[in-house]
PDB file of all heavy atoms in Angstrom:
ATOM      1  N   GLN A   5       0.837  -1.211  -0.005  1.00  0.00           N
ATOM      2  CA  GLN A   5       0.003   0.003   0.000  1.00  0.00           C
ATOM      3  C   GLN A   5       0.862   1.256   0.003  1.00  0.00           C
ATOM      4  O   GLN A   5       0.593   2.213  -0.730  1.00  0.00           O
ATOM      5  CB  GLN A   5      -0.929   0.001   1.220  1.00  0.00           C
ATOM      6  CG  GLN A   5      -1.907   1.165   1.235  1.00  0.00           C
ATOM      7  CD  GLN A   5      -2.771   1.152   2.474  1.00  0.00           C
ATOM      8  OE1 GLN A   5      -2.319   0.813   3.563  1.00  0.00           O
ATOM      9  NE2 GLN A   5      -4.042   1.504   2.318  1.00  0.00           N
ATOM     10  N   GLU A   6       1.927   1.243   0.804  1.00  0.00           N
ATOM     11  CA  GLU A   6       2.841   2.383   0.851  1.00  0.00           C
ATOM     12  C   GLU A   6       3.589   2.553  -0.475  1.00  0.00           C
ATOM     13  O   GLU A   6       3.730   3.667  -0.990  1.00  0.00           O
ATOM     14  CB  GLU A   6       3.835   2.218   1.994  1.00  0.00           C
ATOM     15  CG  GLU A   6       3.226   2.309   3.377  1.00  0.00           C
ATOM     16  CD  GLU A   6       4.265   2.179   4.480  1.00  0.00           C
ATOM     17  OE1 GLU A   6       5.441   1.948   4.137  1.00  0.00           O
ATOM     18  OE2 GLU A   6       3.896   2.284   5.654  1.00  0.00           O
ATOM     19  N   LEU A   7       4.061   1.429  -1.042  1.00  0.00           N
ATOM     20  CA  LEU A   7       4.829   1.502  -2.277  1.00  0.00           C
ATOM     21  C   LEU A   7       3.994   1.983  -3.451  1.00  0.00           C
ATOM     22  O   LEU A   7       4.526   2.590  -4.397  1.00  0.00           O
ATOM     23  CB  LEU A   7       5.431   0.126  -2.604  1.00  0.00           C
ATOM     24  CG  LEU A   7       6.557  -0.352  -1.694  1.00  0.00           C
ATOM     25  CD1 LEU A   7       6.926  -1.795  -2.015  1.00  0.00           C
ATOM     26  CD2 LEU A   7       7.783   0.542  -1.835  1.00  0.00           C
ATOM     27  N   LEU A   8       2.692   1.739  -3.419  1.00  0.00           N
ATOM     28  CA  LEU A   8       1.821   2.097  -4.537  1.00  0.00           C
ATOM     29  C   LEU A   8       1.220   3.484  -4.391  1.00  0.00           C
ATOM     30  O   LEU A   8       0.465   3.927  -5.259  1.00  0.00           O
ATOM     31  CB  LEU A   8       0.690   1.063  -4.668  1.00  0.00           C
ATOM     32  CG  LEU A   8       1.158  -0.323  -5.136  1.00  0.00           C
ATOM     33  CD1 LEU A   8       0.025  -1.337  -5.041  1.00  0.00           C
ATOM     34  CD2 LEU A   8       1.679  -0.258  -6.577  1.00  0.00           C
ATOM     35  N   LEU A   9       1.537   4.173  -3.300  1.00  0.00           N
ATOM     36  CA  LEU A   9       1.041   5.540  -3.137  1.00  0.00           C
ATOM     37  C   LEU A   9       1.661   6.455  -4.195  1.00  0.00           C
ATOM     38  O   LEU A   9       2.772   6.223  -4.658  1.00  0.00           O
ATOM     39  CB  LEU A   9       1.391   6.069  -1.737  1.00  0.00           C
ATOM     40  CG  LEU A   9       0.613   5.466  -0.570  1.00  0.00           C
ATOM     41  CD1 LEU A   9       1.218   5.940   0.746  1.00  0.00           C
ATOM     42  CD2 LEU A   9      -0.863   5.846  -0.643  1.00  0.00           C
ATOM     43  N   PRO A  10       0.952   7.518  -4.599  1.00  0.00           N
ATOM     44  CA  PRO A  10       1.520   8.482  -5.554  1.00  0.00           C
ATOM     45  C   PRO A  10       2.823   9.055  -5.014  1.00  0.00           C
ATOM     46  O   PRO A  10       2.934   9.389  -3.835  1.00  0.00           O
ATOM     47  CB  PRO A  10       0.448   9.570  -5.639  1.00  0.00           C
ATOM     48  CG  PRO A  10      -0.818   8.897  -5.224  1.00  0.00           C
ATOM     49  CD  PRO A  10      -0.420   7.873  -4.200  1.00  0.00           C
ATOM     50  N   ARG A  11       3.818   9.182  -5.883  1.00  0.00           N
ATOM     51  CA  ARG A  11       5.128   9.613  -5.450  1.00  0.00           C
ATOM     52  C   ARG A  11       5.516  10.932  -6.092  1.00  0.00           C
ATOM     53  O   ARG A  11       5.048  11.292  -7.165  1.00  0.00           O
ATOM     54  CB  ARG A  11       6.174   8.546  -5.784  1.00  0.00           C
ATOM     55  CG  ARG A  11       5.920   7.277  -5.033  1.00  0.00           C
ATOM     56  CD  ARG A  11       7.146   6.384  -4.979  1.00  0.00           C
ATOM     57  NE  ARG A  11       6.865   5.299  -4.048  1.00  0.00           N
ATOM     58  CZ  ARG A  11       7.048   5.385  -2.739  1.00  0.00           C
ATOM     59  NH1 ARG A  11       7.538   6.485  -2.215  1.00  0.00           N
ATOM     60  NH2 ARG A  11       6.740   4.369  -1.954  1.00  0.00           N
ATOM     61  N   ASP A  12       6.375  11.623  -5.406  1.00  0.00           N
ATOM     62  CA  ASP A  12       6.937  12.870  -5.914  1.00  0.00           C
ATOM     63  C   ASP A  12       7.857  12.543  -7.084  1.00  0.00           C
ATOM     64  O   ASP A  12       8.813  11.775  -6.938  1.00  0.00           O
ATOM     65  CB  ASP A  12       7.705  13.554  -4.789  1.00  0.00           C
ATOM     66  CG  ASP A  12       8.197  14.940  -5.168  1.00  0.00           C
ATOM     67  OD1 ASP A  12       8.310  15.213  -6.369  1.00  0.00           O
ATOM     68  OD2 ASP A  12       8.467  15.740  -4.252  1.00  0.00           O
ATOM     69  N   ALA A  13       7.566  13.114  -8.240  1.00  0.00           N
ATOM     70  CA  ALA A  13       8.358  12.815  -9.434  1.00  0.00           C
ATOM     71  C   ALA A  13       9.819  13.245  -9.292  1.00  0.00           C
ATOM     72  O   ALA A  13      10.683  12.769 -10.019  1.00  0.00           O
ATOM     73  CB  ALA A  13       7.739  13.501 -10.650  1.00  0.00           C
ATOM     74  N   SER A  14      10.094  14.127  -8.338  1.00  0.00           N
ATOM     75  CA  SER A  14      11.465  14.628  -8.167  1.00  0.00           C
ATOM     76  C   SER A  14      12.268  13.851  -7.126  1.00  0.00           C
ATOM     77  O   SER A  14      13.410  14.211  -6.836  1.00  0.00           O
ATOM     78  CB  SER A  14      11.431  16.113  -7.754  1.00  0.00           C
ATOM     79  OG  SER A  14      10.870  16.909  -8.775  1.00  0.00           O
ATOM     80  N   ASP A  15      11.685  12.795  -6.549  1.00  0.00           N
ATOM     81  CA  ASP A  15      12.354  12.114  -5.430  1.00  0.00           C
ATOM     82  C   ASP A  15      13.732  11.564  -5.789  1.00  0.00           C
ATOM     83  O   ASP A  15      14.575  11.397  -4.919  1.00  0.00           O
ATOM     84  CB  ASP A  15      11.465  10.982  -4.897  1.00  0.00           C
ATOM     85  CG  ASP A  15      10.516  11.477  -3.822  1.00  0.00           C
ATOM     86  OD1 ASP A  15      10.634  12.652  -3.412  1.00  0.00           O
ATOM     87  OD2 ASP A  15       9.637  10.712  -3.394  1.00  0.00           O
ATOM     88  N   GLY A  16      13.967  11.254  -7.048  1.00  0.00           N
ATOM     89  CA  GLY A  16      15.279  10.714  -7.429  1.00  0.00           C
ATOM     90  C   GLY A  16      16.292  11.786  -7.782  1.00  0.00           C
ATOM     91  O   GLY A  16      17.414  11.452  -8.172  1.00  0.00           O
ATOM     92  N   ARG A  17      15.927  13.051  -7.618  1.00  0.00           N
ATOM     93  CA  ARG A  17      16.798  14.135  -8.053  1.00  0.00           C
ATOM     94  C   ARG A  17      17.853  14.507  -6.999  1.00  0.00           C
ATOM     95  O   ARG A  17      17.714  14.214  -5.835  1.00  0.00           O
ATOM     96  CB  ARG A  17      15.981  15.396  -8.358  1.00  0.00           C
ATOM     97  CG  ARG A  17      15.108  15.288  -9.601  1.00  0.00           C
ATOM     98  CD  ARG A  17      14.406  16.611  -9.835  1.00  0.00           C
ATOM     99  NE  ARG A  17      13.481  16.530 -10.948  1.00  0.00           N
ATOM    100  CZ  ARG A  17      13.823  16.766 -12.217  1.00  0.00           C
ATOM    101  NH1 ARG A  17      15.075  17.087 -12.490  1.00  0.00           N
ATOM    102  NH2 ARG A  17      12.935  16.675 -13.171  1.00  0.00           N
ATOM    103  N   ASP A  18      18.862  15.208  -7.491  1.00  0.00           N
ATOM    104  CA  ASP A  18      19.835  15.843  -6.613  1.00  0.00           C
ATOM    105  C   ASP A  18      19.233  17.151  -6.104  1.00  0.00           C
ATOM    106  O   ASP A  18      18.140  17.541  -6.512  1.00  0.00           O
ATOM    107  CB  ASP A  18      21.138  16.110  -7.372  1.00  0.00           C
ATOM    108  CG  ASP A  18      21.767  14.832  -7.900  1.00  0.00           C
ATOM    109  OD1 ASP A  18      21.592  13.786  -7.260  1.00  0.00           O
ATOM    110  OD2 ASP A  18      22.402  14.876  -8.974  1.00  0.00           O
ATOM    111  N   VAL A  19      19.972  17.821  -5.230  1.00  0.00           N
ATOM    112  CA  VAL A  19      19.407  18.969  -4.506  1.00  0.00           C
ATOM    113  C   VAL A  19      20.360  20.150  -4.563  1.00  0.00           C
ATOM    114  O   VAL A  19      21.587  19.983  -4.531  1.00  0.00           O
ATOM    115  CB  VAL A  19      19.139  18.565  -3.035  1.00  0.00           C
ATOM    116  CG1 VAL A  19      19.095  19.769  -2.121  1.00  0.00           C
ATOM    117  CG2 VAL A  19      17.837  17.782  -2.935  1.00  0.00           C
ATOM    118  N   ILE A  20      19.774  21.342  -4.644  1.00  0.00           N
ATOM    119  CA  ILE A  20      20.512  22.568  -4.362  1.00  0.00           C
ATOM    120  C   ILE A  20      19.887  23.172  -3.111  1.00  0.00           C
ATOM    121  O   ILE A  20      18.679  23.429  -3.071  1.00  0.00           O
ATOM    122  CB  ILE A  20      20.462  23.556  -5.531  1.00  0.00           C
ATOM    123  CG1 ILE A  20      21.342  23.023  -6.669  1.00  0.00           C
ATOM    124  CG2 ILE A  20      20.941  24.935  -5.098  1.00  0.00           C
ATOM    125  CD1 ILE A  20      21.435  23.924  -7.875  1.00  0.00           C
ATOM    126  N   LEU A  21      20.697  23.355  -2.086  1.00  0.00           N
ATOM    127  CA  LEU A  21      20.221  23.785  -0.775  1.00  0.00           C
ATOM    128  C   LEU A  21      20.865  25.125  -0.417  1.00  0.00           C
ATOM    129  O   LEU A  21      22.077  25.277  -0.550  1.00  0.00           O
ATOM    130  CB  LEU A  21      20.550  22.708   0.262  1.00  0.00           C
ATOM    131  CG  LEU A  21      20.060  22.899   1.700  1.00  0.00           C
ATOM    132  CD1 LEU A  21      19.733  21.541   2.325  1.00  0.00           C
ATOM    133  CD2 LEU A  21      21.117  23.599   2.552  1.00  0.00           C
ATOM    134  N   GLU A  22      20.032  26.068   0.004  1.00  0.00           N
ATOM    135  CA  GLU A  22      20.511  27.381   0.391  1.00  0.00           C
ATOM    136  C   GLU A  22      20.215  27.606   1.882  1.00  0.00           C
ATOM    137  O   GLU A  22      19.129  27.284   2.346  1.00  0.00           O
ATOM    138  CB  GLU A  22      19.841  28.489  -0.418  1.00  0.00           C
ATOM    139  CG  GLU A  22      20.130  28.421  -1.914  1.00  0.00           C
ATOM    140  CD  GLU A  22      19.466  29.560  -2.669  1.00  0.00           C
ATOM    141  OE1 GLU A  22      18.996  30.522  -2.015  1.00  0.00           O
ATOM    142  OE2 GLU A  22      19.411  29.495  -3.909  1.00  0.00           O
ATOM    143  N   VAL A  23      21.177  28.157   2.583  1.00  0.00           N
ATOM    144  CA  VAL A  23      21.003  28.550   3.981  1.00  0.00           C
ATOM    145  C   VAL A  23      21.306  30.032   4.087  1.00  0.00           C
ATOM    146  O   VAL A  23      22.358  30.487   3.630  1.00  0.00           O
ATOM    147  CB  VAL A  23      21.927  27.758   4.925  1.00  0.00           C
ATOM    148  CG1 VAL A  23      21.638  28.136   6.385  1.00  0.00           C
ATOM    149  CG2 VAL A  23      21.764  26.254   4.726  1.00  0.00           C
ATOM    150  N   LYS A  24      20.390  30.789   4.674  1.00  0.00           N
ATOM    151  CA  LYS A  24      20.543  32.234   4.795  1.00  0.00           C
ATOM    152  C   LYS A  24      20.355  32.651   6.255  1.00  0.00           C
ATOM    153  O   LYS A  24      19.407  32.204   6.913  1.00  0.00           O
ATOM    154  CB  LYS A  24      19.534  32.971   3.920  1.00  0.00           C
ATOM    155  CG  LYS A  24      19.744  32.769   2.422  1.00  0.00           C
ATOM    156  CD  LYS A  24      18.733  33.557   1.624  1.00  0.00           C
ATOM    157  CE  LYS A  24      18.966  33.381   0.122  1.00  0.00           C
ATOM    158  NZ  LYS A  24      20.233  34.007  -0.316  1.00  0.00           N
ATOM    159  N   ALA A  25      21.253  33.485   6.735  1.00  0.00           N
ATOM    160  CA  ALA A  25      21.108  34.022   8.084  1.00  0.00           C
ATOM    161  C   ALA A  25      19.884  34.928   8.140  1.00  0.00           C
ATOM    162  O   ALA A  25      19.551  35.607   7.158  1.00  0.00           O
ATOM    163  CB  ALA A  25      22.359  34.800   8.487  1.00  0.00           C
ATOM    164  N   GLY A  26      19.199  34.933   9.290  1.00  0.00           N
ATOM    165  CA  GLY A  26      18.011  35.759   9.445  1.00  0.00           C
ATOM    166  C   GLY A  26      18.153  36.701  10.622  1.00  0.00           C
ATOM    167  O   GLY A  26      19.193  37.349  10.802  1.00  0.00           O
ATOM    168  N   GLU A  27      17.125  36.727  11.462  1.00  0.00           N
ATOM    169  CA  GLU A  27      17.162  37.584  12.643  1.00  0.00           C
ATOM    170  C   GLU A  27      18.204  37.059  13.641  1.00  0.00           C
ATOM    171  O   GLU A  27      18.305  35.871  13.858  1.00  0.00           O
ATOM    172  CB  GLU A  27      15.794  37.635  13.299  1.00  0.00           C
ATOM    173  CG  GLU A  27      14.709  38.207  12.407  1.00  0.00           C
ATOM    174  CD  GLU A  27      13.354  38.185  13.099  1.00  0.00           C
ATOM    175  OE1 GLU A  27      13.296  37.744  14.270  1.00  0.00           O
ATOM    176  OE2 GLU A  27      12.378  38.598  12.469  1.00  0.00           O
ATOM    177  N   GLY A  28      18.966  37.964  14.226  1.00  0.00           N
ATOM    178  CA  GLY A  28      19.926  37.544  15.223  1.00  0.00           C
ATOM    179  C   GLY A  28      21.352  37.970  14.940  1.00  0.00           C
ATOM    180  O   GLY A  28      22.259  37.624  15.702  1.00  0.00           O
ATOM    181  N   GLY A  29      21.569  38.695  13.829  1.00  0.00           N
ATOM    182  CA  GLY A  29      22.903  39.223  13.557  1.00  0.00           C
ATOM    183  C   GLY A  29      23.973  38.163  13.401  1.00  0.00           C
ATOM    184  O   GLY A  29      23.783  37.161  12.711  1.00  0.00           O
ATOM    185  N   GLU A  30      25.104  38.356  14.066  1.00  0.00           N
ATOM    186  CA  GLU A  30      26.245  37.437  13.941  1.00  0.00           C
ATOM    187  C   GLU A  30      25.902  36.044  14.447  1.00  0.00           C
ATOM    188  O   GLU A  30      26.358  35.038  13.893  1.00  0.00           O
ATOM    189  CB  GLU A  30      27.444  37.986  14.705  1.00  0.00           C
ATOM    190  CG  GLU A  30      28.734  37.205  14.512  1.00  0.00           C
ATOM    191  CD  GLU A  30      29.257  37.292  13.091  1.00  0.00           C
ATOM    192  OE1 GLU A  30      29.340  38.409  12.561  1.00  0.00           O
ATOM    193  OE2 GLU A  30      29.590  36.223  12.525  1.00  0.00           O
ATOM    194  N   GLU A  31      25.070  35.961  15.483  1.00  0.00           N
ATOM    195  CA  GLU A  31      24.676  34.660  16.010  1.00  0.00           C
ATOM    196  C   GLU A  31      23.886  33.874  14.958  1.00  0.00           C
ATOM    197  O   GLU A  31      24.045  32.671  14.813  1.00  0.00           O
ATOM    198  CB  GLU A  31      23.859  34.830  17.284  1.00  0.00           C
ATOM    199  CG  GLU A  31      23.065  33.601  17.735  1.00  0.00           C
ATOM    200  CD  GLU A  31      23.928  32.389  18.071  1.00  0.00           C
ATOM    201  OE1 GLU A  31      25.173  32.500  18.094  1.00  0.00           O
ATOM    202  OE2 GLU A  31      23.343  31.310  18.308  1.00  0.00           O
ATOM    203  N   SER A  32      23.025  34.560  14.206  1.00  0.00           N
ATOM    204  CA  SER A  32      22.277  33.904  13.142  1.00  0.00           C
ATOM    205  C   SER A  32      23.210  33.374  12.064  1.00  0.00           C
ATOM    206  O   SER A  32      23.009  32.278  11.536  1.00  0.00           O
ATOM    207  CB  SER A  32      21.255  34.878  12.538  1.00  0.00           C
ATOM    208  OG  SER A  32      20.586  34.285  11.462  1.00  0.00           O
ATOM    209  N   ALA A  33      24.239  34.163  11.744  1.00  0.00           N
ATOM    210  CA  ALA A  33      25.210  33.723  10.742  1.00  0.00           C
ATOM    211  C   ALA A  33      25.992  32.500  11.214  1.00  0.00           C
ATOM    212  O   ALA A  33      26.275  31.579  10.443  1.00  0.00           O
ATOM    213  CB  ALA A  33      26.161  34.867  10.404  1.00  0.00           C
ATOM    214  N   LEU A  34      26.342  32.470  12.495  1.00  0.00           N
ATOM    215  CA  LEU A  34      27.025  31.305  13.057  1.00  0.00           C
ATOM    216  C   LEU A  34      26.121  30.084  13.027  1.00  0.00           C
ATOM    217  O   LEU A  34      26.566  28.960  12.747  1.00  0.00           O
ATOM    218  CB  LEU A  34      27.476  31.596  14.483  1.00  0.00           C
ATOM    219  CG  LEU A  34      28.624  32.607  14.629  1.00  0.00           C
ATOM    220  CD1 LEU A  34      28.825  32.987  16.087  1.00  0.00           C
ATOM    221  CD2 LEU A  34      29.910  32.057  14.042  1.00  0.00           C
ATOM    222  N   PHE A  35      24.825  30.293  13.320  1.00  0.00           N
ATOM    223  CA  PHE A  35      23.869  29.180  13.278  1.00  0.00           C
ATOM    224  C   PHE A  35      23.702  28.679  11.843  1.00  0.00           C
ATOM    225  O   PHE A  35      23.579  27.467  11.615  1.00  0.00           O
ATOM    226  CB  PHE A  35      22.532  29.636  13.852  1.00  0.00           C
ATOM    227  CG  PHE A  35      21.461  28.590  13.801  1.00  0.00           C
ATOM    228  CD1 PHE A  35      21.679  27.324  14.313  1.00  0.00           C
ATOM    229  CD2 PHE A  35      20.213  28.873  13.247  1.00  0.00           C
ATOM    230  CE1 PHE A  35      20.685  26.344  14.280  1.00  0.00           C
ATOM    231  CE2 PHE A  35      19.222  27.916  13.205  1.00  0.00           C
ATOM    232  CZ  PHE A  35      19.454  26.649  13.714  1.00  0.00           C
ATOM    233  N   ALA A  36      23.701  29.604  10.874  1.00  0.00           N
ATOM    234  CA  ALA A  36      23.633  29.186   9.471  1.00  0.00           C
ATOM    235  C   ALA A  36      24.827  28.286   9.138  1.00  0.00           C
ATOM    236  O   ALA A  36      24.691  27.288   8.406  1.00  0.00           O
ATOM    237  CB  ALA A  36      23.608  30.405   8.558  1.00  0.00           C
ATOM    238  N   GLY A  37      25.990  28.614   9.680  1.00  0.00           N
ATOM    239  CA  GLY A  37      27.165  27.764   9.484  1.00  0.00           C
ATOM    240  C   GLY A  37      26.997  26.399  10.123  1.00  0.00           C
ATOM    241  O   GLY A  37      27.410  25.377   9.566  1.00  0.00           O
ATOM    242  N   ASP A  38      26.364  26.364  11.297  1.00  0.00           N
ATOM    243  CA  ASP A  38      26.095  25.087  11.965  1.00  0.00           C
ATOM    244  C   ASP A  38      25.157  24.229  11.120  1.00  0.00           C
ATOM    245  O   ASP A  38      25.335  23.005  11.011  1.00  0.00           O
ATOM    246  CB  ASP A  38      25.469  25.316  13.345  1.00  0.00           C
ATOM    247  CG  ASP A  38      26.452  25.938  14.326  1.00  0.00           C
ATOM    248  OD1 ASP A  38      27.674  25.799  14.110  1.00  0.00           O
ATOM    249  OD2 ASP A  38      25.995  26.566  15.307  1.00  0.00           O
ATOM    250  N   LEU A  39      24.124  24.852  10.548  1.00  0.00           N
ATOM    251  CA  LEU A  39      23.179  24.116   9.698  1.00  0.00           C
ATOM    252  C   LEU A  39      23.884  23.571   8.460  1.00  0.00           C
ATOM    253  O   LEU A  39      23.656  22.422   8.056  1.00  0.00           O
ATOM    254  CB  LEU A  39      22.013  25.014   9.280  1.00  0.00           C
ATOM    255  CG  LEU A  39      21.035  25.419  10.380  1.00  0.00           C
ATOM    256  CD1 LEU A  39      19.976  26.369   9.833  1.00  0.00           C
ATOM    257  CD2 LEU A  39      20.354  24.191  10.993  1.00  0.00           C
ATOM    258  N   LEU A  40      24.762  24.384   7.861  1.00  0.00           N
ATOM    259  CA  LEU A  40      25.507  23.918   6.695  1.00  0.00           C
ATOM    260  C   LEU A  40      26.324  22.691   7.046  1.00  0.00           C
ATOM    261  O   LEU A  40      26.284  21.678   6.322  1.00  0.00           O
ATOM    262  CB  LEU A  40      26.426  25.039   6.187  1.00  0.00           C
ATOM    263  CG  LEU A  40      27.419  24.616   5.092  1.00  0.00           C
ATOM    264  CD1 LEU A  40      26.689  24.200   3.834  1.00  0.00           C
ATOM    265  CD2 LEU A  40      28.423  25.715   4.815  1.00  0.00           C
ATOM    266  N   ARG A  41      27.071  22.744   8.153  1.00  0.00           N
ATOM    267  CA  ARG A  41      27.875  21.586   8.551  1.00  0.00           C
ATOM    268  C   ARG A  41      27.000  20.379   8.858  1.00  0.00           C
ATOM    269  O   ARG A  41      27.383  19.234   8.564  1.00  0.00           O
ATOM    270  CB  ARG A  41      28.747  21.955   9.752  1.00  0.00           C
ATOM    271  CG  ARG A  41      29.932  22.856   9.381  1.00  0.00           C
ATOM    272  CD  ARG A  41      30.844  23.110  10.561  1.00  0.00           C
ATOM    273  NE  ARG A  41      30.221  24.018  11.539  1.00  0.00           N
ATOM    274  CZ  ARG A  41      30.275  25.328  11.446  1.00  0.00           C
ATOM    275  NH1 ARG A  41      30.912  25.902  10.442  1.00  0.00           N
ATOM    276  NH2 ARG A  41      29.706  26.093  12.368  1.00  0.00           N
ATOM    277  N   MET A  42      25.820  20.601   9.429  1.00  0.00           N
ATOM    278  CA  MET A  42      24.906  19.496   9.714  1.00  0.00           C
ATOM    279  C   MET A  42      24.494  18.789   8.425  1.00  0.00           C
ATOM    280  O   MET A  42      24.520  17.551   8.336  1.00  0.00           O
ATOM    281  CB  MET A  42      23.667  20.030  10.438  1.00  0.00           C
ATOM    282  CG  MET A  42      22.626  18.982  10.755  1.00  0.00           C
ATOM    283  SD  MET A  42      21.169  19.682  11.599  1.00  0.00           S
ATOM    284  CE  MET A  42      20.372  20.536  10.220  1.00  0.00           C
ATOM    285  N   TYR A  43      24.162  19.565   7.398  1.00  0.00           N
ATOM    286  CA  TYR A  43      23.750  18.961   6.134  1.00  0.00           C
ATOM    287  C   TYR A  43      24.921  18.313   5.404  1.00  0.00           C
ATOM    288  O   TYR A  43      24.763  17.254   4.777  1.00  0.00           O
ATOM    289  CB  TYR A  43      23.083  20.012   5.245  1.00  0.00           C
ATOM    290  CG  TYR A  43      21.761  20.492   5.787  1.00  0.00           C
ATOM    291  CD1 TYR A  43      21.501  21.842   5.977  1.00  0.00           C
ATOM    292  CD2 TYR A  43      20.770  19.580   6.143  1.00  0.00           C
ATOM    293  CE1 TYR A  43      20.298  22.287   6.484  1.00  0.00           C
ATOM    294  CE2 TYR A  43      19.557  20.008   6.645  1.00  0.00           C
ATOM    295  CZ  TYR A  43      19.324  21.361   6.823  1.00  0.00           C
ATOM    296  OH  TYR A  43      18.119  21.786   7.335  1.00  0.00           O
ATOM    297  N   LEU A  44      26.119  18.898   5.505  1.00  0.00           N
ATOM    298  CA  LEU A  44      27.283  18.295   4.877  1.00  0.00           C
ATOM    299  C   LEU A  44      27.608  16.946   5.523  1.00  0.00           C
ATOM    300  O   LEU A  44      27.939  15.975   4.831  1.00  0.00           O
ATOM    301  CB  LEU A  44      28.491  19.234   4.968  1.00  0.00           C
ATOM    302  CG  LEU A  44      28.412  20.537   4.168  1.00  0.00           C
ATOM    303  CD1 LEU A  44      29.655  21.386   4.404  1.00  0.00           C
ATOM    304  CD2 LEU A  44      28.217  20.272   2.687  1.00  0.00           C
TER     305      LEU A  44
END
């Protein structure tokens, strides 16, 4: 039942991922770096 459910046509694709600092100044930028390392 799970295998036959409609699937996202893009599931086999590669990804371009963007991380942008937001509210919080330098701390937000450091957190953006933490997120980047987490995904890497």
Side-chain angles (χ1 to χ4, degrees):
Q5 185 182 37
E6 292 182 357
L7 290 172
L8 291 171
L9 288 172
R11 296 199 171 274
D12 187 339
S14 296
D15 272 353
R17 290 183 185 271
D18 300 329
V19 157
I20 288 182
L21 184 147
E22 297 181 13
V23 183
K24 294 182 178 292
E27 298 178 1
E30 187 66 49
E31 164 62 7
S32 176
L34 290 170
F35 178 52
D38 291 338
L39 291 177
L40 171 65
R41 286 185 288 274
M42 178 181 74
Y43 292 127
L44 293 178

